[in-house]
Amino acid sequence: MTRYSRIMIIVLGALGIVFGAIVSEARVYLDVYGASFKKITIGVPYFKGEKVEKLPIAMSDLLNKDLDWSGFFITAPNSLIDKELLDEGIEKKEINFNNWRSIGIELVCKGKAQIQNGELILEGFLYDTLDGSMLLAKRYKGPEGDWRKIVHRLADDILLTVTGEKGIMSSRVLFIGGGRNLKEVYTADFDGQGIKKMTNYRNITISPSMSPGGKYLAYTSYKEGRPNLYVIDTEKSTTTFVDRTDGMKLGTSWLNKSALVYSQTAGKYSTIYTYDVERRDKKVLLQREGILTSPSMSPDGKKMIFVSDMYGTPQVFSRDNGSGEIKRLSYYGNYNSSPSWSPKGDLITFVSKLEGGFEICTMNPDGTNQRVLTNDGTINDSPQFSPDGRYIIYSSQRGGKYGIHIMLFNGENKRKLTFTEYNEEQPRFIP
Amino acid sequence: MKRFCIFMIIAIFLLAGCASKVVQTAQPTTSVVTEKPLSSQGDGTKGRGGITEEELARAERERLLREQENRAAALLKDISFDYDSYTIKPSELPKIEAVGNWLKQNRAVIILVEGHCDERGTIEYNMALGQKRAEAVNNYLSKNGIDTGRIKAISFGKEVPVDPGNTEGAWAKNRRVHFKIDQKE
């Protein structure tokens, strides 16, 4: 059998699985976890409005942008859609599904915005043009000033309907912004709005991470002249120190809502600790000579991945937290670092040095199936999955200064996010 | 009050002058000692409006530290490293020995031993690598009889490059251990 025919059989087999999934679970239109998937064409004609001007069009424009950004849809610009189609009503009986289908649109989203008792109300409807069935009908309410947030909620619900999982447009992110010696922790809405400066030390601040639920923010700051590890209680607005002893301390992962996992390099040894912020209780997880850094806990807490130079170069290892057994995961090349688990537990993302560049990669939790997702020969760093495990957010030096980028877990749909005018690094979704 | 202030400033200079004589390159300091108090007196009268004596004294201390640093910088040369390595190269040993000798002659001084990296790597790993570089140098110094309490290892990872360029030359300059006098002491 030739190689080609073998590949064909694999592809046909995969298609069979995809079709099987659609038939058995009709609500999920896209098999997102396939190696590749076909994007769905969606039409979002401008929203209708009552007692509001301009806002409905701004909202449908933003929805088009959100859906395009998600990477799962091909959106149709309103300028390419017939006026007759754009003008039709939002109710099922007013829509000519045949006409939509004839221009290749598979799904249509209709919306109507109005102001009632000083509040903005958006009604959103999603139809399948094949049979005219209504897939989603939902009402969103909020202050007029929050119109962007309302659109993001609709976008996330459309993603949920079509892919079986909510979108990320309503998320907030955490990152380090600033110039040399002036790096601070920021949070912001995914769309670049609502930027908040969380630290103001006018010094070096690095490696921010937030506890699940968002109560605690851990980071390392040089505000006392050397790299110490601190935690902000965001509810009480208090800052406490976690570790002020010698050496480099970096927190990178959370075991649960109050226990931070961090590494310390001081003297002959490096140590990975868990530290419970509420009980102020510190435990040693692992101690070795040389470098141990970037610990990341699996979502079920059973395994920990980390970087060690025990074989001379930085490589990714996995440790079974029960048995203590350590397994090397990365073998290719002489520099593999900054690993992080997917919250789904099915993938690990990490950075690998390849032909001069530092590229974002993924692999299975046992080290198999390694894939390279970026290929720009610059420095890409700090990859982190989105809470739904479908996107990877990372920092990249592409274009000179460090900026935040996002892509799908398979490397498709790369986009740049911009929040401030500064260098932006070490991004994470706020869980 | 003013007289006391001037007295203090002169006293600080005299003390500093004594201290700096220990340094091998003491020649330029003598001229500094004779010149500077005059200009400082000028500052004193100017400062009567808002600047307090404490601030004046602090500014003086800082200025003296800077001078001491500048002199030290000529002697305390950066230790360079190979890419992704914290092994001390034989070529760097004489530089570390010079630092050790300087520390033996200046027994009151505590230094920060800063580990730095080039930009080619991840932020987190470079932070640990910088720490290891600083500690490798400290190990050698302590083997040469320097009290470990006087040499403080601190890593800056790739956060503070001397040369922001993306060339092999810039990277080589940035992979270094840099010595600084601890200003807190």
PDB file of all heavy atoms in Angstrom, chain A residues 180 183 222 224-225 248 265 267-268 294 309 314 335 337 379 381 397, chain B residues 84 86 119 121-125 127 131-132 135 154-155 158-159 161 184:
ATOM      1  N   ARG A 180      12.005  48.788  30.374  1.00  0.00           N
ATOM      2  CA  ARG A 180      13.112  48.287  31.181  1.00  0.00           C
ATOM      3  C   ARG A 180      13.046  48.845  32.606  1.00  0.00           C
ATOM      4  O   ARG A 180      12.907  50.055  32.798  1.00  0.00           O
ATOM      5  CB  ARG A 180      14.391  48.769  30.490  1.00  0.00           C
ATOM      6  CG  ARG A 180      15.659  48.276  31.088  1.00  0.00           C
ATOM      7  CD  ARG A 180      16.794  48.975  30.335  1.00  0.00           C
ATOM      8  NE  ARG A 180      17.874  49.253  31.241  1.00  0.00           N
ATOM      9  CZ  ARG A 180      19.111  48.762  31.079  1.00  0.00           C
ATOM     10  NH1 ARG A 180      19.381  48.027  30.046  1.00  0.00           N
ATOM     11  NH2 ARG A 180      20.048  49.047  31.944  1.00  0.00           N
ATOM     12  N   LYS A 183       8.368  47.519  35.088  1.00  0.00           N
ATOM     13  CA  LYS A 183       7.342  46.574  34.655  1.00  0.00           C
ATOM     14  C   LYS A 183       6.301  46.388  35.749  1.00  0.00           C
ATOM     15  O   LYS A 183       6.652  46.174  36.897  1.00  0.00           O
ATOM     16  CB  LYS A 183       7.993  45.239  34.297  1.00  0.00           C
ATOM     17  CG  LYS A 183       8.878  45.365  33.078  1.00  0.00           C
ATOM     18  CD  LYS A 183       9.429  44.043  32.626  1.00  0.00           C
ATOM     19  CE  LYS A 183      10.171  44.214  31.304  1.00  0.00           C
ATOM     20  NZ  LYS A 183      10.765  42.974  30.848  1.00  0.00           N
ATOM     21  N   TYR A 222      10.975  43.269  42.467  1.00  0.00           N
ATOM     22  CA  TYR A 222      12.278  43.692  42.974  1.00  0.00           C
ATOM     23  C   TYR A 222      12.152  44.944  43.835  1.00  0.00           C
ATOM     24  O   TYR A 222      13.130  45.649  44.056  1.00  0.00           O
ATOM     25  CB  TYR A 222      13.221  43.997  41.802  1.00  0.00           C
ATOM     26  CG  TYR A 222      13.780  42.771  41.116  1.00  0.00           C
ATOM     27  CD1 TYR A 222      12.953  41.951  40.353  1.00  0.00           C
ATOM     28  CD2 TYR A 222      15.125  42.438  41.212  1.00  0.00           C
ATOM     29  CE1 TYR A 222      13.454  40.838  39.705  1.00  0.00           C
ATOM     30  CE2 TYR A 222      15.642  41.325  40.571  1.00  0.00           C
ATOM     31  CZ  TYR A 222      14.800  40.528  39.816  1.00  0.00           C
ATOM     32  OH  TYR A 222      15.304  39.427  39.176  1.00  0.00           O
ATOM     33  N   GLU A 224      12.024  45.482  46.874  1.00  0.00           N
ATOM     34  CA  GLU A 224      12.918  45.537  48.039  1.00  0.00           C
ATOM     35  C   GLU A 224      14.356  45.242  47.634  1.00  0.00           C
ATOM     36  O   GLU A 224      15.170  44.834  48.459  1.00  0.00           O
ATOM     37  CB  GLU A 224      12.437  44.548  49.112  1.00  0.00           C
ATOM     38  CG  GLU A 224      11.159  45.027  49.784  1.00  0.00           C
ATOM     39  CD  GLU A 224      10.515  43.982  50.678  1.00  0.00           C
ATOM     40  OE1 GLU A 224      10.602  42.783  50.334  1.00  0.00           O
ATOM     41  OE2 GLU A 224       9.916  44.365  51.688  1.00  0.00           O
ATOM     42  N   GLY A 225      14.660  45.456  46.372  1.00  0.00           N
ATOM     43  CA  GLY A 225      16.032  45.320  45.902  1.00  0.00           C
ATOM     44  C   GLY A 225      16.395  43.942  45.387  1.00  0.00           C
ATOM     45  O   GLY A 225      17.394  43.773  44.721  1.00  0.00           O
ATOM     46  N   MET A 248      16.233  33.385  43.794  1.00  0.00           N
ATOM     47  CA  MET A 248      15.187  33.731  42.847  1.00  0.00           C
ATOM     48  C   MET A 248      13.928  32.936  43.188  1.00  0.00           C
ATOM     49  O   MET A 248      13.970  31.722  43.295  1.00  0.00           O
ATOM     50  CB  MET A 248      15.696  33.379  41.439  1.00  0.00           C
ATOM     51  CG  MET A 248      14.678  33.459  40.343  1.00  0.00           C
ATOM     52  SD  MET A 248      13.814  35.037  40.216  1.00  0.00           S
ATOM     53  CE  MET A 248      15.160  36.171  39.929  1.00  0.00           C
ATOM     54  N   THR A 265      15.434  29.211  43.399  1.00  0.00           N
ATOM     55  CA  THR A 265      16.800  28.807  43.109  1.00  0.00           C
ATOM     56  C   THR A 265      17.700  29.616  44.024  1.00  0.00           C
ATOM     57  O   THR A 265      17.716  30.844  43.959  1.00  0.00           O
ATOM     58  CB  THR A 265      17.150  29.067  41.632  1.00  0.00           C
ATOM     59  OG1 THR A 265      16.253  28.303  40.816  1.00  0.00           O
ATOM     60  CG2 THR A 265      18.574  28.647  41.313  1.00  0.00           C
ATOM     61  N   GLY A 267      21.599  29.031  46.258  1.00  0.00           N
ATOM     62  CA  GLY A 267      22.671  28.135  46.669  1.00  0.00           C
ATOM     63  C   GLY A 267      22.808  26.977  45.689  1.00  0.00           C
ATOM     64  O   GLY A 267      22.584  27.125  44.497  1.00  0.00           O
ATOM     65  N   LYS A 268      23.115  25.813  46.223  1.00  0.00           N
ATOM     66  CA  LYS A 268      23.370  24.651  45.379  1.00  0.00           C
ATOM     67  C   LYS A 268      22.079  24.099  44.772  1.00  0.00           C
ATOM     68  O   LYS A 268      22.070  23.496  43.714  1.00  0.00           O
ATOM     69  CB  LYS A 268      24.007  23.581  46.273  1.00  0.00           C
ATOM     70  CG  LYS A 268      24.799  22.540  45.532  1.00  0.00           C
ATOM     71  CD  LYS A 268      25.510  21.653  46.564  1.00  0.00           C
ATOM     72  CE  LYS A 268      26.266  20.528  45.915  1.00  0.00           C
ATOM     73  NZ  LYS A 268      26.884  19.634  46.898  1.00  0.00           N
ATOM     74  N   SER A 294       9.591  26.903  36.503  1.00  0.00           N
ATOM     75  CA  SER A 294       8.332  26.812  35.752  1.00  0.00           C
ATOM     76  C   SER A 294       7.466  25.609  36.120  1.00  0.00           C
ATOM     77  O   SER A 294       6.995  24.891  35.231  1.00  0.00           O
ATOM     78  CB  SER A 294       8.605  26.786  34.240  1.00  0.00           C
ATOM     79  OG  SER A 294       9.358  27.893  33.845  1.00  0.00           O
ATOM     80  N   ASP A 309      17.615  21.351  34.463  1.00  0.00           N
ATOM     81  CA  ASP A 309      18.805  21.215  33.628  1.00  0.00           C
ATOM     82  C   ASP A 309      19.627  19.996  34.073  1.00  0.00           C
ATOM     83  O   ASP A 309      20.837  19.961  33.890  1.00  0.00           O
ATOM     84  CB  ASP A 309      19.657  22.490  33.682  1.00  0.00           C
ATOM     85  CG  ASP A 309      20.274  22.726  35.049  1.00  0.00           C
ATOM     86  OD1 ASP A 309      19.736  22.194  36.049  1.00  0.00           O
ATOM     87  OD2 ASP A 309      21.307  23.428  35.132  1.00  0.00           O
ATOM     88  N   PRO A 314      18.125  22.943  29.467  1.00  0.00           N
ATOM     89  CA  PRO A 314      16.754  22.987  29.987  1.00  0.00           C
ATOM     90  C   PRO A 314      15.816  22.054  29.213  1.00  0.00           C
ATOM     91  O   PRO A 314      15.736  22.131  27.988  1.00  0.00           O
ATOM     92  CB  PRO A 314      16.339  24.459  29.814  1.00  0.00           C
ATOM     93  CG  PRO A 314      17.325  25.065  28.897  1.00  0.00           C
ATOM     94  CD  PRO A 314      18.569  24.254  28.964  1.00  0.00           C
ATOM     95  N   TYR A 335      16.897  23.171  24.125  1.00  0.00           N
ATOM     96  CA  TYR A 335      16.271  24.210  24.951  1.00  0.00           C
ATOM     97  C   TYR A 335      14.752  24.051  24.901  1.00  0.00           C
ATOM     98  O   TYR A 335      14.099  24.427  23.920  1.00  0.00           O
ATOM     99  CB  TYR A 335      16.651  25.605  24.445  1.00  0.00           C
ATOM    100  CG  TYR A 335      16.496  26.699  25.487  1.00  0.00           C
ATOM    101  CD1 TYR A 335      17.601  27.366  26.011  1.00  0.00           C
ATOM    102  CD2 TYR A 335      15.235  27.085  25.954  1.00  0.00           C
ATOM    103  CE1 TYR A 335      17.471  28.361  26.957  1.00  0.00           C
ATOM    104  CE2 TYR A 335      15.097  28.084  26.903  1.00  0.00           C
ATOM    105  CZ  TYR A 335      16.216  28.717  27.396  1.00  0.00           C
ATOM    106  OH  TYR A 335      16.091  29.709  28.335  1.00  0.00           O
ATOM    107  N   SER A 337      11.420  24.838  27.415  1.00  0.00           N
ATOM    108  CA  SER A 337      11.147  25.511  28.684  1.00  0.00           C
ATOM    109  C   SER A 337       9.722  26.044  28.765  1.00  0.00           C
ATOM    110  O   SER A 337       8.943  25.929  27.821  1.00  0.00           O
ATOM    111  CB  SER A 337      12.170  26.646  28.844  1.00  0.00           C
ATOM    112  OG  SER A 337      12.048  27.253  30.107  1.00  0.00           O
ATOM    113  N   ILE A 379      11.649  35.502  19.337  1.00  0.00           N
ATOM    114  CA  ILE A 379      11.485  34.923  20.662  1.00  0.00           C
ATOM    115  C   ILE A 379      10.006  34.923  21.022  1.00  0.00           C
ATOM    116  O   ILE A 379       9.386  35.981  21.157  1.00  0.00           O
ATOM    117  CB  ILE A 379      12.303  35.706  21.709  1.00  0.00           C
ATOM    118  CG1 ILE A 379      13.788  35.640  21.341  1.00  0.00           C
ATOM    119  CG2 ILE A 379      12.077  35.137  23.107  1.00  0.00           C
ATOM    120  CD1 ILE A 379      14.647  36.613  22.098  1.00  0.00           C
ATOM    121  N   ASP A 381       7.359  33.388  23.921  1.00  0.00           N
ATOM    122  CA  ASP A 381       7.558  32.953  25.307  1.00  0.00           C
ATOM    123  C   ASP A 381       6.224  32.882  26.044  1.00  0.00           C
ATOM    124  O   ASP A 381       5.206  33.406  25.580  1.00  0.00           O
ATOM    125  CB  ASP A 381       8.503  33.952  26.004  1.00  0.00           C
ATOM    126  CG  ASP A 381       9.049  33.440  27.344  1.00  0.00           C
ATOM    127  OD1 ASP A 381       8.739  32.290  27.724  1.00  0.00           O
ATOM    128  OD2 ASP A 381       9.789  34.192  27.999  1.00  0.00           O
ATOM    129  N   GLN A 397       8.220  38.494  20.352  1.00  0.00           N
ATOM    130  CA  GLN A 397       9.041  39.661  20.035  1.00  0.00           C
ATOM    131  C   GLN A 397       8.889  40.022  18.563  1.00  0.00           C
ATOM    132  O   GLN A 397       9.589  40.908  18.083  1.00  0.00           O
ATOM    133  CB  GLN A 397      10.497  39.340  20.360  1.00  0.00           C
ATOM    134  CG  GLN A 397      11.345  40.542  20.690  1.00  0.00           C
ATOM    135  CD  GLN A 397      12.811  40.211  20.687  1.00  0.00           C
ATOM    136  OE1 GLN A 397      13.247  39.263  20.040  1.00  0.00           O
ATOM    137  NE2 GLN A 397      13.591  40.981  21.396  1.00  0.00           N
TER     138      GLN A 397
ATOM    139  N   ASP B  84      23.679  29.923  27.683  1.00  0.00           N
ATOM    140  CA  ASP B  84      22.959  28.931  28.487  1.00  0.00           C
ATOM    141  C   ASP B  84      23.886  28.147  29.426  1.00  0.00           C
ATOM    142  O   ASP B  84      23.680  26.971  29.683  1.00  0.00           O
ATOM    143  CB  ASP B  84      22.184  27.965  27.561  1.00  0.00           C
ATOM    144  CG  ASP B  84      21.221  27.082  28.359  1.00  0.00           C
ATOM    145  OD1 ASP B  84      20.753  27.537  29.411  1.00  0.00           O
ATOM    146  OD2 ASP B  84      20.977  25.931  27.937  1.00  0.00           O
ATOM    147  N   TYR B  86      26.308  28.264  33.195  1.00  0.00           N
ATOM    148  CA  TYR B  86      26.748  28.968  34.395  1.00  0.00           C
ATOM    149  C   TYR B  86      28.069  28.416  34.906  1.00  0.00           C
ATOM    150  O   TYR B  86      28.415  28.533  36.070  1.00  0.00           O
ATOM    151  CB  TYR B  86      25.672  28.987  35.484  1.00  0.00           C
ATOM    152  CG  TYR B  86      25.001  27.667  35.841  1.00  0.00           C
ATOM    153  CD1 TYR B  86      25.502  26.848  36.848  1.00  0.00           C
ATOM    154  CD2 TYR B  86      23.820  27.294  35.221  1.00  0.00           C
ATOM    155  CE1 TYR B  86      24.861  25.671  37.206  1.00  0.00           C
ATOM    156  CE2 TYR B  86      23.159  26.114  35.569  1.00  0.00           C
ATOM    157  CZ  TYR B  86      23.687  25.301  36.560  1.00  0.00           C
ATOM    158  OH  TYR B  86      23.034  24.144  36.913  1.00  0.00           O
ATOM    159  N   GLU B 119      18.995  37.726  25.793  1.00  0.00           N
ATOM    160  CA  GLU B 119      17.538  37.637  25.609  1.00  0.00           C
ATOM    161  C   GLU B 119      17.072  36.287  25.053  1.00  0.00           C
ATOM    162  O   GLU B 119      15.876  36.023  25.009  1.00  0.00           O
ATOM    163  CB  GLU B 119      17.082  38.745  24.654  1.00  0.00           C
ATOM    164  CG  GLU B 119      17.699  38.595  23.269  1.00  0.00           C
ATOM    165  CD  GLU B 119      17.145  39.585  22.259  1.00  0.00           C
ATOM    166  OE1 GLU B 119      16.258  40.363  22.613  1.00  0.00           O
ATOM    167  OE2 GLU B 119      17.608  39.547  21.104  1.00  0.00           O
ATOM    168  N   GLY B 121      16.015  33.138  25.335  1.00  0.00           N
ATOM    169  CA  GLY B 121      15.517  32.141  26.263  1.00  0.00           C
ATOM    170  C   GLY B 121      14.228  32.619  26.870  1.00  0.00           C
ATOM    171  O   GLY B 121      13.759  33.713  26.557  1.00  0.00           O
ATOM    172  N   THR B 122      13.654  31.803  27.730  1.00  0.00           N
ATOM    173  CA  THR B 122      12.395  32.209  28.356  1.00  0.00           C
ATOM    174  C   THR B 122      12.696  33.069  29.583  1.00  0.00           C
ATOM    175  O   THR B 122      13.761  32.957  30.193  1.00  0.00           O
ATOM    176  CB  THR B 122      11.567  30.978  28.767  1.00  0.00           C
ATOM    177  OG1 THR B 122      12.305  30.227  29.727  1.00  0.00           O
ATOM    178  CG2 THR B 122      11.249  30.097  27.572  1.00  0.00           C
ATOM    179  N   ILE B 123      11.748  33.915  29.927  1.00  0.00           N
ATOM    180  CA  ILE B 123      11.920  34.818  31.066  1.00  0.00           C
ATOM    181  C   ILE B 123      12.219  34.011  32.328  1.00  0.00           C
ATOM    182  O   ILE B 123      13.163  34.307  33.062  1.00  0.00           O
ATOM    183  CB  ILE B 123      10.634  35.664  31.263  1.00  0.00           C
ATOM    184  CG1 ILE B 123      10.448  36.623  30.085  1.00  0.00           C
ATOM    185  CG2 ILE B 123      10.687  36.435  32.581  1.00  0.00           C
ATOM    186  CD1 ILE B 123       9.128  37.366  30.100  1.00  0.00           C
ATOM    187  N   GLU B 124      11.408  32.964  32.553  1.00  0.00           N
ATOM    188  CA  GLU B 124      11.528  32.212  33.808  1.00  0.00           C
ATOM    189  C   GLU B 124      12.849  31.460  33.911  1.00  0.00           C
ATOM    190  O   GLU B 124      13.510  31.506  34.947  1.00  0.00           O
ATOM    191  CB  GLU B 124      10.347  31.242  33.941  1.00  0.00           C
ATOM    192  CG  GLU B 124       9.046  31.965  34.241  1.00  0.00           C
ATOM    193  CD  GLU B 124       7.830  31.064  34.105  1.00  0.00           C
ATOM    194  OE1 GLU B 124       7.998  29.837  33.924  1.00  0.00           O
ATOM    195  OE2 GLU B 124       6.700  31.591  34.170  1.00  0.00           O
ATOM    196  N   TYR B 125      13.229  30.773  32.834  1.00  0.00           N
ATOM    197  CA  TYR B 125      14.476  30.007  32.921  1.00  0.00           C
ATOM    198  C   TYR B 125      15.682  30.936  33.085  1.00  0.00           C
ATOM    199  O   TYR B 125      16.610  30.649  33.833  1.00  0.00           O
ATOM    200  CB  TYR B 125      14.659  29.102  31.689  1.00  0.00           C
ATOM    201  CG  TYR B 125      15.784  28.115  31.894  1.00  0.00           C
ATOM    202  CD1 TYR B 125      15.588  26.960  32.645  1.00  0.00           C
ATOM    203  CD2 TYR B 125      17.048  28.362  31.388  1.00  0.00           C
ATOM    204  CE1 TYR B 125      16.624  26.070  32.883  1.00  0.00           C
ATOM    205  CE2 TYR B 125      18.097  27.479  31.617  1.00  0.00           C
ATOM    206  CZ  TYR B 125      17.882  26.346  32.360  1.00  0.00           C
ATOM    207  OH  TYR B 125      18.904  25.465  32.603  1.00  0.00           O
ATOM    208  N   MET B 127      15.732  33.702  34.626  1.00  0.00           N
ATOM    209  CA  MET B 127      15.789  34.167  36.012  1.00  0.00           C
ATOM    210  C   MET B 127      16.591  33.191  36.873  1.00  0.00           C
ATOM    211  O   MET B 127      17.412  33.589  37.700  1.00  0.00           O
ATOM    212  CB  MET B 127      14.368  34.298  36.574  1.00  0.00           C
ATOM    213  CG  MET B 127      13.677  35.560  36.132  1.00  0.00           C
ATOM    214  SD  MET B 127      14.485  36.982  36.890  1.00  0.00           S
ATOM    215  CE  MET B 127      13.742  38.307  35.974  1.00  0.00           C
ATOM    216  N   GLN B 131      20.657  33.515  38.487  1.00  0.00           N
ATOM    217  CA  GLN B 131      20.951  33.191  39.885  1.00  0.00           C
ATOM    218  C   GLN B 131      22.143  32.230  39.958  1.00  0.00           C
ATOM    219  O   GLN B 131      23.057  32.408  40.761  1.00  0.00           O
ATOM    220  CB  GLN B 131      19.700  32.566  40.531  1.00  0.00           C
ATOM    221  CG  GLN B 131      19.846  32.268  42.014  1.00  0.00           C
ATOM    222  CD  GLN B 131      19.859  33.531  42.864  1.00  0.00           C
ATOM    223  OE1 GLN B 131      19.296  34.558  42.487  1.00  0.00           O
ATOM    224  NE2 GLN B 131      20.514  33.459  44.014  1.00  0.00           N
ATOM    225  N   LYS B 132      22.118  31.220  39.093  1.00  0.00           N
ATOM    226  CA  LYS B 132      23.202  30.228  39.095  1.00  0.00           C
ATOM    227  C   LYS B 132      24.533  30.867  38.708  1.00  0.00           C
ATOM    228  O   LYS B 132      25.582  30.517  39.246  1.00  0.00           O
ATOM    229  CB  LYS B 132      22.880  29.078  38.123  1.00  0.00           C
ATOM    230  CG  LYS B 132      21.785  28.146  38.607  1.00  0.00           C
ATOM    231  CD  LYS B 132      22.029  27.695  40.009  1.00  0.00           C
ATOM    232  CE  LYS B 132      22.120  26.238  40.226  1.00  0.00           C
ATOM    233  NZ  LYS B 132      22.214  25.902  41.665  1.00  0.00           N
ATOM    234  N   GLU B 135      25.831  32.753  41.647  1.00  0.00           N
ATOM    235  CA  GLU B 135      26.302  31.853  42.699  1.00  0.00           C
ATOM    236  C   GLU B 135      27.593  31.129  42.328  1.00  0.00           C
ATOM    237  O   GLU B 135      28.415  30.839  43.203  1.00  0.00           O
ATOM    238  CB  GLU B 135      25.192  30.862  43.072  1.00  0.00           C
ATOM    239  CG  GLU B 135      24.206  31.532  44.014  1.00  0.00           C
ATOM    240  CD  GLU B 135      22.919  30.769  44.191  1.00  0.00           C
ATOM    241  OE1 GLU B 135      22.809  29.668  43.620  1.00  0.00           O
ATOM    242  OE2 GLU B 135      22.043  31.276  44.893  1.00  0.00           O
ATOM    243  N   ILE B 154      22.290  37.886  43.275  1.00  0.00           N
ATOM    244  CA  ILE B 154      20.957  38.329  42.879  1.00  0.00           C
ATOM    245  C   ILE B 154      20.830  38.212  41.360  1.00  0.00           C
ATOM    246  O   ILE B 154      21.742  38.575  40.627  1.00  0.00           O
ATOM    247  CB  ILE B 154      20.693  39.775  43.388  1.00  0.00           C
ATOM    248  CG1 ILE B 154      19.386  40.323  42.823  1.00  0.00           C
ATOM    249  CG2 ILE B 154      21.820  40.708  43.082  1.00  0.00           C
ATOM    250  CD1 ILE B 154      18.962  41.622  43.474  1.00  0.00           C
ATOM    251  N   SER B 155      19.730  37.661  40.911  1.00  0.00           N
ATOM    252  CA  SER B 155      19.542  37.465  39.474  1.00  0.00           C
ATOM    253  C   SER B 155      18.609  38.510  38.892  1.00  0.00           C
ATOM    254  O   SER B 155      17.605  38.865  39.501  1.00  0.00           O
ATOM    255  CB  SER B 155      18.955  36.084  39.205  1.00  0.00           C
ATOM    256  OG  SER B 155      18.624  35.969  37.831  1.00  0.00           O
ATOM    257  N   LYS B 158      16.938  38.244  32.131  1.00  0.00           N
ATOM    258  CA  LYS B 158      17.265  39.042  30.947  1.00  0.00           C
ATOM    259  C   LYS B 158      16.640  40.429  31.015  1.00  0.00           C
ATOM    260  O   LYS B 158      16.505  41.110  30.003  1.00  0.00           O
ATOM    261  CB  LYS B 158      16.812  38.309  29.684  1.00  0.00           C
ATOM    262  CG  LYS B 158      15.320  38.001  29.602  1.00  0.00           C
ATOM    263  CD  LYS B 158      14.996  37.553  28.167  1.00  0.00           C
ATOM    264  CE  LYS B 158      13.660  36.888  28.052  1.00  0.00           C
ATOM    265  NZ  LYS B 158      13.307  36.580  26.666  1.00  0.00           N
ATOM    266  N   GLU B 159      16.271  40.838  32.233  1.00  0.00           N
ATOM    267  CA  GLU B 159      15.518  42.086  32.373  1.00  0.00           C
ATOM    268  C   GLU B 159      16.356  43.354  32.196  1.00  0.00           C
ATOM    269  O   GLU B 159      15.817  44.396  31.846  1.00  0.00           O
ATOM    270  CB  GLU B 159      14.828  42.123  33.746  1.00  0.00           C
ATOM    271  CG  GLU B 159      13.854  40.982  33.995  1.00  0.00           C
ATOM    272  CD  GLU B 159      12.719  40.969  32.983  1.00  0.00           C
ATOM    273  OE1 GLU B 159      12.127  42.017  32.742  1.00  0.00           O
ATOM    274  OE2 GLU B 159      12.444  39.892  32.422  1.00  0.00           O
ATOM    275  N   PRO B 161      19.495  44.281  30.239  1.00  0.00           N
ATOM    276  CA  PRO B 161      20.649  44.114  29.332  1.00  0.00           C
ATOM    277  C   PRO B 161      21.517  45.377  29.307  1.00  0.00           C
ATOM    278  O   PRO B 161      20.998  46.479  29.466  1.00  0.00           O
ATOM    279  CB  PRO B 161      19.985  43.882  27.965  1.00  0.00           C
ATOM    280  CG  PRO B 161      18.640  44.528  28.064  1.00  0.00           C
ATOM    281  CD  PRO B 161      18.225  44.432  29.508  1.00  0.00           C
ATOM    282  N   LYS B 184      22.788  49.607  50.612  1.00  0.00           N
ATOM    283  CA  LYS B 184      22.054  49.580  51.883  1.00  0.00           C
ATOM    284  C   LYS B 184      22.993  49.555  53.072  1.00  0.00           C
ATOM    285  O   LYS B 184      22.606  49.886  54.180  1.00  0.00           O
ATOM    286  CB  LYS B 184      21.150  48.343  51.933  1.00  0.00           C
ATOM    287  CG  LYS B 184      19.825  48.580  51.222  1.00  0.00           C
ATOM    288  CD  LYS B 184      18.934  47.382  51.425  1.00  0.00           C
ATOM    289  CE  LYS B 184      17.815  47.386  50.405  1.00  0.00           C
ATOM    290  NZ  LYS B 184      17.346  46.043  50.138  1.00  0.00           N
TER     291      LYS B 184
END
